[in-house]
Amino acid sequence: MQPRPAAHALRSVLCLLLLLPCLVLAAEPLPSWRDGPSRQAIVAFVEAVTDQGSKDYVAPAERIAVFDNDGTLWSEQPLYFEVLFSMDEVRRLAPEHPQWKTQQPFKAVLENDHKALAEQGMDGLLKIVAATHSGISTEQFLARSRSWLASARHPKTGRPYTEMVFQPMLELLGYLRDKGFRTYIVSGGEVAFMRAFAEEVYGIPPEQVIGTTLAAEYQDKDGQLSIQRLPKLLHNDDGPGKPVSIEAVIGRRPVLGFGNSDGDLQMLQWTLAGPGRRFAGLVHHTDANREWAYDRQSSVGRLDKALDIANRQGWTVVDMARDWRRVYPFDKE
Amino acid sequence: MQPRPAAHALRSVLCLLLLLPCLVLAAEPLPSWRDGPSRQAIVAFVEAVTDQGSKDYVAPAERIAVFDNDGTLWSEQPLYFEVLFSMDEVRRLAPEHPQWKTQQPFKAVLENDHKALAEQGMDGLLKIVAATHSGISTEQFLARSRSWLASARHPKTGRPYTEMVFQPMLELLGYLRDKGFRTYIVSGGEVAFMRAFAEEVYGIPPEQVIGTTLAAEYQDKDGQLSIQRLPKLLHNDDGPGKPVSIEAVIGRRPVLGFGNSDGDLQMLQWTLAGPGRRFAGLVHHTDANREWAYDRQSSVGRLDKALDIANRQGWTVVDMARDWRRVYPFDKE
């Protein structure tokens, strides 16, 4: 049955009206980014690789975008949030482990002795992660992580950690997905911890979260099935570990990568070394007022060698203070 | 501008004509499956979980379907095809390794001594896999695998191995994808070897291929970047290793699983143990004429314990001889 011409015309007008908000939105991607070289470089790249007539065109299946998490999608000061989680977990679990009162690195955590904790170094940190991230099923660990994320508050802002995500980066993730990209996290954080919030907060589903992994084993206890997490590091997803995990999990080379520290250098170099047009970006923490300002001297998220290379090779270095209208979703413009 | 009514009507008719083949196909999924309990169970499951009005409805993001590869999507006799590849590679690489003439398990391969090779057991096999799968970059290994797949022929059929895939399973993969499922391979085969053909042959992209993995390292040789494959097993994706890798890579529990051997038992049990309606299927090799007939006594793809459990619990056991009109794409009906 054909619609009558008048009804047909009316329907067309209605459709246009319904589309209007989409058209307006489409005209203004990345509203929290100030117009400047960073925003322009992102938009120019995305338009080039998604334009079928362009020599830089990239098929949708190859539109892989990888993002570091700590310091790139959310803050990482005064310490990586997952370390703060682990320390809270040590405190919560201490009654079940009386020996921790006299045993490092747990003693340092329980006594809030930051100097002694720092002296335990990476080894101490790994012991804390092992004690708080393993010996339970993945399901139980996800529940623990979610429970902490729901109740814990950041020592400086008093906000839930999941609110301390970067509004401009949320917009970038959405913009890329609208343009047919698949957005992945590739982070030194542990995979299950990130999966506890990545979908809700970033719109990144579990199968697109790559990170540090613990060994695990399948358990069948009288028909009760679970995946048990073991206190053994299987993959350290930092520095050169990032291209390795990208290859292992995705099996494609990304065309766009974003990081903020020397731990992202190899991921970004690997991204750029593929054929065709590529994009590498760094978030430079330059905003002591709205967030933090740190780079070469920081023990958390040190950005030194990667900053030199980025400047020399003309990567996009996002100057947080200059380029972002807002940092957090709760900021006023 | 409005199209004139006549042109409009003509266009509608044309559209309908263009859609006709799709409608016919949509009415008859799985044409190489004979009508019977297996086909009916598959279709009933898929219709239930994709019907928004059904109590069994599963949202598209959770429609994860996992498939074993060897013996489930393609044949695996007289030996897993990847083992045949490895043996061919030992022969091809032998001139560069003169010591292999006197060194087991390589000596057995070079002398075509199946008895001596069998005596080397799993250890021998791992040595052969390490020698032929590592010491090169992933890119080089993919090229080697593709070169072999393009030229090698199966000893019985004389066909390329990539033609010895099961036509009914290709249709099942396509049917599931049409219904919004994501289809994953979860196999004891090594990931990069499967990625060499999975997209072209099964329509399964690299990021949906899960399997046995080797350790790897990132190499930056004067700016020449590569992922180098190491002779070290990182994950054995067989038996209880399958639910572990599913959790690690996908982070969601599948709603449908298909296998053919005891090595798939835990994957199928893990699939079934989730909430809501689930599906577990086994391909039972019952067709000595068109393929092979084997189960409890076979050294390749042994199906014993899983068959008992499947029969007891009413899983779908596909009887290849009874249920499939065609086995391979090149078979006549």
Side-chain angles (χ1 to χ4, degrees):
Chain A
M1 205 175 64
Q2 295 294 317
R4 282 164 303 139
H8 196 88
L10 181 65
R11 208 173 54 188
S12 300
V13 169
L14 274 173
C15 288
L16 269 177
L17 281 174
L18 284 169
L19 278 171
L20 215 58
C22 308
L23 294 173
V24 170
L25 278 178
E28 276 293 356
L30 310 176
S32 298
W33 292 72
R34 290 203 186 94
D35 194 31
S38 295
R39 185 180 180 286
Q40 285 163 16
I42 292 168
V43 173
F45 171 79
V46 170
E47 289 186 347
V49 299
T50 56
D51 170 4
Q52 275 197 282
S54 160
K55 67 171 177 34
D56 300 319
Y57 180 71
V58 173
E62 297 291 344
R63 291 184 203 156
I64 304 291
V66 289
F67 289 83
D68 171 58
N69 183 40
D70 298 302
T72 301
L73 297 180
W74 71 359
S75 292
E76 59 183 353
Q77 295 284 2
L79 266 175
Y80 301 117
F81 295 172
E82 192 174 356
V83 173
L84 299 177
F85 160 71
S86 302
M87 289 166 68
D88 280 350
E89 285 292 279
V90 166
R91 290 178 200 110
R92 190 180 66 81
L93 296 166
E96 299 164 34
H97 303 270
Q99 73 282 14
W100 286 356
K101 278 187 198 156
T102 55
Q103 204 178 66
Q104 291 297 14
F106 307 101
K107 183 169 180 284
V109 175
L110 296 175
E111 294 173 355
N112 226 348
D113 182 345
H114 289 177
K115 190 166 158 283
L117 187 62
E119 279 164 12
Q120 300 296 315
M122 198 58 193
D123 253 21
L125 194 62
L126 281 178
K127 274 183 198 153
I128 291 171
V129 169
T132 54
H133 284 59
S134 72
I136 52 175
S137 73
T138 303
E139 212 167 334
Q140 290 168 319
F141 180 75
L142 278 169
R144 279 189 183 181
S145 305
R146 288 189 174 126
S147 160
W148 182 80
L149 288 164
S151 61
R153 294 296 178 265
H154 188 275
K156 184 180 152 195
T157 65
R159 298 275 180 169
Y161 290 95
T162 48
E163 289 184 11
M164 293 181 66
V165 295
F166 302 138
Q167 175 65 26
M169 298 304 283
L170 295 181
E171 293 167 7
L172 176 55
L173 292 171
Y175 173 54
L176 290 170
R177 290 192 292 256
D178 286 348
K179 295 290 188 175
F181 284 76
R182 268 166 301 159
T183 52
Y184 280 81
I185 289 176
V186 180
S187 165
E190 196 274 333
V191 170
F193 179 74
M194 295 188 288
R195 282 178 179 161
F197 64 93
E199 185 147 34
E200 198 187 326
V201 175
Y202 303 135
I204 295 182
E207 64 272 22
Q208 285 165 219
V209 176
I210 298 173
T212 291
T213 53
L214 301 179
E217 75 184 0
Y218 180 71
Q219 191 181 77
D220 181 346
K221 215 172 180 175
D222 307 319
Q224 274 291 99
L225 310 182
S226 64
I227 311 289
Q228 291 291 319
R229 296 159 63 81
L230 304 177
K232 188 189 153 199
L233 185 69
L234 196 64
H235 173 74
N236 180 9
D237 204 40
D238 191 34
K242 292 197 177 198
V244 168
S245 66
I246 288 170
E247 182 73 23
V249 177
I250 312 178
R252 303 183 195 261
R253 198 190 291 245
V255 293
L256 177 149
F258 240 106
N260 77 301
S261 78
D262 284 359
D264 303 313
L265 177 58
Q266 288 85 355
M267 172 173 85
L268 298 177
Q269 290 179 318
W270 179 247
T271 298
L272 291 174
R277 191 158 168 177
R278 306 269 155 169
F279 184 97
L282 282 173
V283 173
H284 191 188
H285 293 263
T286 54
D287 196 328
N289 292 323
R290 298 184 298 178
E291 207 242 2
W292 282 268
Y294 59 96
D295 47 32
R296 298 182 194 274
Q297 306 302 322
S298 178
S299 63
V300 168
R302 181 194 309 271
L303 176 63
D304 182 31
K305 197 177 163 196
L307 187 57
D308 291 337
I309 293 174
N311 285 331
R312 206 156 58 227
Q313 301 190 356
W315 303 1
T316 294
V317 179
V318 174
D319 180 329
M320 202 182 257
R322 177 197 68 184
D323 289 339
W324 288 358
R325 283 186 217 280
R326 290 198 291 174
V327 173
Y328 299 122
F330 55 77
D331 282 343
K332 297 203 174 59
E333 257 189 50
Chain B
M1 205 173 64
Q2 293 296 318
R4 283 165 301 141
H8 195 89
L10 182 63
R11 209 172 55 187
S12 300
V13 169
L14 275 173
C15 287
L16 269 176
L17 282 174
L18 284 170
L19 278 171
L20 215 59
C22 309
L23 294 173
V24 169
L25 279 178
E28 276 292 357
L30 309 176
S32 299
W33 292 73
R34 290 202 186 94
D35 194 33
S38 295
R39 185 181 180 286
Q40 285 162 16
I42 292 168
V43 172
F45 172 79
V46 170
E47 289 185 349
V49 299
T50 56
D51 170 4
Q52 275 196 283
S54 159
K55 66 170 178 38
D56 299 319
Y57 180 71
V58 173
E62 296 291 343
R63 291 183 202 156
I64 304 289
V66 290
F67 289 83
D68 170 59
N69 182 41
D70 299 302
T72 300
L73 297 180
W74 72 356
S75 292
E76 59 183 353
Q77 295 285 1
L79 267 176
Y80 301 118
F81 294 173
E82 192 174 356
V83 173
L84 298 177
F85 159 71
S86 303
M87 290 166 67
D88 280 350
E89 285 292 279
V90 165
R91 289 179 202 111
R92 190 179 67 79
L93 297 166
E96 300 164 33
H97 304 269
Q99 74 282 14
W100 284 357
K101 278 187 197 157
T102 56
Q103 205 178 62
Q104 290 298 13
F106 307 102
K107 183 169 181 285
V109 174
L110 296 176
E111 294 173 353
N112 227 346
D113 183 344
H114 289 177
K115 189 165 158 285
L117 187 61
E119 279 164 13
Q120 300 296 314
M122 198 57 191
D123 253 21
L125 194 61
L126 282 179
K127 276 182 195 153
I128 291 170
V129 169
T132 54
H133 284 59
S134 71
I136 52 175
S137 73
T138 304
E139 209 167 335
Q140 289 169 320
F141 180 75
L142 279 169
R144 279 190 184 179
S145 304
R146 287 188 176 128
S147 160
W148 181 81
L149 288 164
S151 61
R153 295 295 178 267
H154 188 275
K156 183 180 151 193
T157 66
R159 297 274 180 170
Y161 290 94
T162 48
E163 288 184 12
M164 294 180 66
V165 295
F166 302 139
Q167 175 63 26
M169 298 305 281
L170 295 181
E171 293 167 8
L172 176 55
L173 292 171
Y175 173 55
L176 289 170
R177 290 192 292 256
D178 286 347
K179 295 290 189 175
F181 284 77
R182 268 166 301 158
T183 52
Y184 281 81
I185 290 176
V186 180
S187 164
E190 194 275 333
V191 169
F193 180 74
M194 294 188 288
R195 283 178 177 160
F197 64 94
E199 184 147 35
E200 196 187 326
V201 174
Y202 302 136
I204 295 181
E207 63 273 21
Q208 285 165 219
V209 176
I210 298 173
T212 291
T213 53
L214 301 179
E217 74 184 0
Y218 180 71
Q219 191 181 77
D220 181 346
K221 216 173 180 174
D222 307 319
Q224 273 292 100
L225 309 182
S226 64
I227 310 290
Q228 292 291 320
R229 294 159 64 81
L230 304 178
K232 187 189 155 201
L233 185 70
L234 196 65
H235 173 74
N236 181 8
D237 204 41
D238 192 34
K242 293 197 177 198
V244 169
S245 66
I246 288 170
E247 181 73 22
V249 177
I250 311 178
R252 304 182 194 262
R253 198 189 291 245
V255 293
L256 178 148
F258 239 106
N260 77 301
S261 79
D262 284 359
D264 303 312
L265 177 58
Q266 288 86 354
M267 172 172 86
L268 299 176
Q269 290 179 318
W270 180 246
T271 298
L272 290 173
R277 190 156 168 180
R278 306 270 155 169
F279 184 96
L282 282 172
V283 173
H284 191 187
H285 293 263
T286 53
D287 196 327
N289 292 323
R290 296 184 299 179
E291 207 244 2
W292 281 268
Y294 60 95
D295 48 32
R296 298 182 194 274
Q297 307 301 323
S298 179
S299 62
V300 168
R302 181 194 309 271
L303 176 64
D304 183 32
K305 197 176 163 196
L307 187 58
D308 290 339
I309 293 174
N311 285 332
R312 207 157 57 227
Q313 302 189 356
W315 303 1
T316 293
V317 179
V318 174
D319 180 329
M320 201 181 257
R322 178 198 67 185
D323 289 338
W324 288 357
R325 281 187 219 280
R326 290 199 290 175
V327 173
Y328 299 122
F330 56 77
D331 282 343
K332 297 204 175 54
E333 258 190 53

